[in-house]
């Protein structure tokens, strides 16, 4: 379906991808806004093809104020898919978004506030995958083009002080915590490079964001205002329905090595749940991702296994869940990785 560029209100400040104009040392400079750093300072490629920065967005303006950049679904890769969500799927997601996040309003009200300020917000990841499969999703993960520093006063007015801000990771958690069992929501910025570090950069492009995710079925975006399913890889929706695993992580993007190394654990976790990898996924895992597994320090690796495999399992089922994980890992041909990098540290999992 074609998108109407007027369906997204214009934002006050330029967005990544737009041509901009600003002054530096009394001289006018033109360039393209690449993104922004952890302090929300704009990062620009100037007219001389050099990186540049300004102290704030107030200094820059859109070069073409009457021809602003449209929404993300207009700029997908050729393989990308945009489609209206089926009515039953849209209704199921809307019902979830109408739930309240104590102590404030509901999910949809927050999304609408971002939207009316000219910024897109999408449900993404396991949230969308679960809904497509007709399953209830307890976690709501949002990604937004609105720089979170600008969102902080709004969020505080809506939810008091019940939120935490991880600046370097580019996300805000509102409400409770996974451990407390209280409702919570994670709102993230689009990561451009080096997420989790002081050199992190953030942007606003789905075409970049989906390449730092793991599998196509986890890289589907749902835009709740216009009720659109957006699949940048072109295979995510089909993979979610068929429970297939296709790698979309691009190792040429400066994502942390740890997050790429962790994909092996996530792959085995999904395989143990009945997901089937494509042949190309197995080839890529063995060639490009397994070698990274050894780069994780032992404590971080075993803690990641605990969080991914055991953290949501009842205590009396953890041994069974873990044994299923190990059997799947060995059965898929990753016995060496298990024997070398997991088995020696199993005592730290506190299975007994």
């Amino acid at each position: 379906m074609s998108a109407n560029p007027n369906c997204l209100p214009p934002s006050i400040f330029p967005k990544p991808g737009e041509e901009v104009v600003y002054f530096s040392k009394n001289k006018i400079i033109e360039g393209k806004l690449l993104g922004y750093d952890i302090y929300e300072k704009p990062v620009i490629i100037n007219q001389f093809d050099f990186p540049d920065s300004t102290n704030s967005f107030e200094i820059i303006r859109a070069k073409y104020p009457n021809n602003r950049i449209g929404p993300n679904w207009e700029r997908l890769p050729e393989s990308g898919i945009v489609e209206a969500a089926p009515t039953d799927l849209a209704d199921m997601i809307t019902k979830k978004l109408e739930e309240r996040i104590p102590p404030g309003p509901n999910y949809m009200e927050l999304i609408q506030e971002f939207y009316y300020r000219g910024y897109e917000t999408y449900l993404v990841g396991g949230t969308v995958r679960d809904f497509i499969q007709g399953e209830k999703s307890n976690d709501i993960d949002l990604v937004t083009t609105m720089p979170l520093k600008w969102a902080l006063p709004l969020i505080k007015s809506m939810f008091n002080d019940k939120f935490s801000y991880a600046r370097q990771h580019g996300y805000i958690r509102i409400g409770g915590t996974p451990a407390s069992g209280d409702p919570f929501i994670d709102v993230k910025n689009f990561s451009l490079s080096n997420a989790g570090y002081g050199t992190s950069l953030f942007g606003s492009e789905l075409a970049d964001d989906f390449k730092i995710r793991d599998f196509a079925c986890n890289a589907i975006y749902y835009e709740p205002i216009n009720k659109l399913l957006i699949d940048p890889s072109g295979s995510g929706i089909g993979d979610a329905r068929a429970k297939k695993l296709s790698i979309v992580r691009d190792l040429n993007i400066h994502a942390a090595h740890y997050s790429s190394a962790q994909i092996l654990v996530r792959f085995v976790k999904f395989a143990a749940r009945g997901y089937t990898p494509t042949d190309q996924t197995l080839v890529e895992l063995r060639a490009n991702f397994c070698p990274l597994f050894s780069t994780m320090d032992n404590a971080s690796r075993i803690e990641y296994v605990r969080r991914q495999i055991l953290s949501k399992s009842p205590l009396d089922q953890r041994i069974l869940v873990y044994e299923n994980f190990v059997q799947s890992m060995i059965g898929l041909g990753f016995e060496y990785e298990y024997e070398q990098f997991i088995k020696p540290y199993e005592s730290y999992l506190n299975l007994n």
Side-chain angles (χ1 to χ4, degrees):
M1 65 179 291
S2 60
N4 177 0
N6 296 320
C7 65
L8 181 69
S11 59
I12 296 175
F13 298 117
K15 296 178 183 176
E18 288 194 284
E19 293 185 60
V20 295
V21 175
Y22 58 102
F23 281 83
S24 178
K25 297 180 180 178
N26 311 117
K27 297 186 182 298
I28 191 168
I29 305 291
E30 296 183 0
K32 185 175 182 179
L33 180 60
L34 178 64
Y36 47 93
D37 63 16
I38 63 173
Y39 302 105
E40 278 79 22
K41 292 182 179 180
V43 177
I44 301 161
I45 301 297
N46 66 25
Q47 66 204 56
F48 309 109
D49 207 27
F50 288 113
D52 198 1
S53 183
T54 65
N55 288 328
S56 74
F57 272 84
E58 284 85 353
I59 295 174
I60 66 175
R61 66 167 173 85
K63 183 177 180 180
Y64 304 109
N66 295 321
N67 187 23
R68 300 294 301 277
I69 194 169
N72 257 288
W73 53 82
E74 295 181 329
R75 304 186 297 280
L76 296 180
E78 288 186 12
S79 61
I81 295 172
V82 183
E83 63 183 38
T87 301
D88 57 343
L89 174 63
D91 289 346
M92 186 164 44
I93 296 177
T94 298
K95 183 177 180 180
K96 179 65 180 179
L97 294 179
E98 289 173 347
E99 293 180 6
R100 181 171 169 265
I101 317 167
N106 61 39
Y107 298 100
M108 196 63 187
E109 288 175 290
L110 177 63
I111 292 168
Q112 288 171 336
E113 289 302 322
F114 287 170
Y115 176 80
Y116 293 138
R117 287 163 170 77
Y119 295 97
E120 301 155 67
T121 303
Y122 300 90
L123 279 75
V124 70
T127 303
V128 183
R129 181 199 68 231
D130 290 346
F131 278 124
I132 288 175
Q133 293 173 356
E135 299 175 5
K136 181 181 178 181
S137 182
N138 293 319
D139 299 331
I140 295 293
D141 292 327
L142 299 179
V143 61
T144 182
T145 59
M146 185 175 189
L148 293 181
K149 182 179 178 181
W150 304 347
L152 286 174
L154 169 66
I155 290 172
K156 187 171 184 179
S157 71
M158 297 176 76
F159 300 97
N160 299 331
D161 291 316
K162 200 167 184 181
F163 64 88
S164 59
Y165 179 28
R167 183 187 297 273
Q168 291 186 180
H169 293 273
Y171 83 87
I172 292 175
R173 172 161 289 169
I174 304 169
T177 64
S180 71
D182 296 327
F184 69 92
I185 183 172
D186 285 340
V187 183
K188 300 181 181 181
N189 277 148
F190 287 80
S191 181
L192 194 59
S193 66
N194 299 326
Y197 295 89
T199 55
S200 298
L201 290 180
F202 303 98
S204 64
E205 294 294 307
L206 289 182
D208 295 325
D209 187 79
F210 92 93
K211 294 178 182 178
I212 67 166
R213 300 187 180 274
D214 49 11
F215 306 108
C217 63
N218 294 329
I220 310 165
Y221 302 76
Y222 178 77
E223 201 282 322
I225 301 295
N226 297 285
K227 299 181 179 179
L228 297 176
L229 277 175
I230 302 167
D231 181 1
S233 73
S235 60
I237 296 172
D239 281 7
R241 290 171 178 156
K243 290 195 169 184
K244 287 174 56 179
L245 295 176
S246 305
I247 285 183
V248 293
R249 170 64 64 89
D250 185 346
L251 291 177
N252 293 317
I253 295 177
H254 300 294
H257 264 203
Y258 269 25
S259 64
S260 296
Q262 292 164 354
I263 285 180
L264 176 59
V265 174
R266 290 180 58 77
F267 169 78
V268 176
K269 179 180 78 169
F270 282 109
R273 293 180 181 175
Y275 284 73
T276 303
T278 64
D279 292 341
Q280 183 61 32
T281 291
L282 283 171
V283 169
E284 288 191 47
L285 268 172
R286 292 191 174 107
N288 302 322
F289 292 88
C290 282
L292 296 175
F293 202 50
S294 63
T295 66
M296 298 182 71
D297 66 80
N298 298 327
S300 297
R301 189 188 304 112
I302 204 68
E303 171 59 17
Y304 188 74
V305 170
R306 186 197 66 77
R307 291 203 317 269
Q308 284 290 311
I309 310 304
L310 302 174
S311 63
K312 295 183 180 180
S313 301
L315 290 175
D316 61 349
Q317 296 182 23
R318 287 190 174 183
I319 292 178
L320 182 63
V321 169
Y322 183 70
E323 288 176 348
N324 186 35
F325 167 77
V326 171
Q327 290 170 6
S328 296
M329 191 168 189
I330 294 172
L332 289 163
F334 301 106
E335 183 174 3
Y336 172 81
E337 284 73 20
Y338 166 67
E339 293 285 347
Q340 292 291 316
F341 305 118
I342 296 179
K343 186 177 180 180
Y345 311 100
E346 285 178 337
S347 61
Y348 295 100
L349 293 174
N350 299 319
L351 293 171
N352 298 320

